[in-house]
Amino acid sequence: MLDSQATKAPPSLLYMVKQVELVVRSRLDELVKPSGITALQYTALTVLERHDGLSAAQLARDSFVTAQSIADLVRSLENRGLVRRERNPHSRRELLILLTEDARELLAQYEGPVRELEERMVRDLTAHQTEQFRQALSRAWHALS
């Protein structure tokens, strides 16, 4: 008699990616909680660290949140003194979102712990496998974008 577990299909890749995303978000939430921000807010700050001066729409896309959610997220970060908004000199109707020095200090404070979390995620992979994983995720993202 066959073991029923042996005949079951493995979980889908979509399911597995979602599992990883949820556990990463949970661990990141735990990590940044003492600073009073969420994983989503932290992600938005890291996006601005790489590309400071984005519009709300650009920040929403790059932070993986809806346009509606980004307004509340930015307002909360602005109230905490972590971002500021200023008019786009090329399009007076558009506001750009910029990091403050406090945000840069907060990001520097969490750089090591976040790197350790990422290293923990791939600790059972070789450096070559980690790079292949990075490339595979990038290709998967591009295929669906």
Side-chain angles (χ1 to χ4, degrees), residues 2 10 19 22-23 32 41 62-63 65 77 79 89 107 112 116 136-137:
L2 284 175
Q19 278 186 309
L22 289 173
V23 74
V32 299
Q41 291 170 330
D62 293 354
S63 300
V65 298
L77 291 173
N79 289 341
L107 289 168
E116 289 170 14
L137 289 172

Side-chain angles (χ1 to χ4, degrees), residues 3 16 41 46 49 55 63 79 83 99 101 105 117-118 123 141:
D3 178 12
M16 294 177 74
Q41 291 170 330
T46 63
E49 184 178 38
S55 69
S63 300
N79 289 341
V83 299
L99 288 179
E101 193 53 42
E105 290 173 13
L117 176 63
E118 185 173 310
R123 74 174 162 218
W141 179 81

Side-chain angles (χ1 to χ4, degrees), residues 43-129:
T43 299
L45 292 174
T46 63
V47 167
L48 289 170
E49 184 178 38
R50 288 191 317 275
H51 308 285
D52 208 10
L54 294 177
S55 69
Q58 292 168 312
L59 183 58
R61 276 191 301 278
D62 293 354
S63 300
F64 315 110
V65 298
T66 65
Q68 296 80 10
S69 298
I70 202 69
D72 291 337
L73 189 146
V74 169
R75 193 175 309 106
S76 177
L77 291 173
E78 192 174 33
N79 289 341
R80 297 261 340 269
L82 298 173
V83 299
R84 60 186 171 80
R85 293 186 257 197
E86 60 183 53
R87 294 260 172 234
N88 182 342
H90 306 292
S91 172
R92 299 295 298 160
R93 293 178 42 168
E94 182 179 55
L95 289 173
L96 300 179
I97 303 160
L98 299 116
L99 288 179
T100 65
E101 193 53 42
D102 285 350
R104 292 182 194 288
E105 290 173 13
L106 184 140
L107 289 168
Q109 174 186 349
Y110 283 99
E111 184 179 346
V114 169
R115 185 176 43 256
E116 289 170 14
L117 176 63
E118 185 173 310
E119 289 169 357
R120 181 175 162 203
M121 180 180 72
V122 296
R123 74 174 162 218
D124 292 335
L125 302 178
T126 65
H128 180 70
Q129 289 170 325

Side-chain angles (χ1 to χ4, degrees), residues 124-135:
D124 292 335
L125 302 178
T126 65
H128 180 70
Q129 289 170 325
T130 298
E131 185 53 34
Q132 286 181 312
F133 182 49
R134 183 184 309 280
Q135 290 174 10

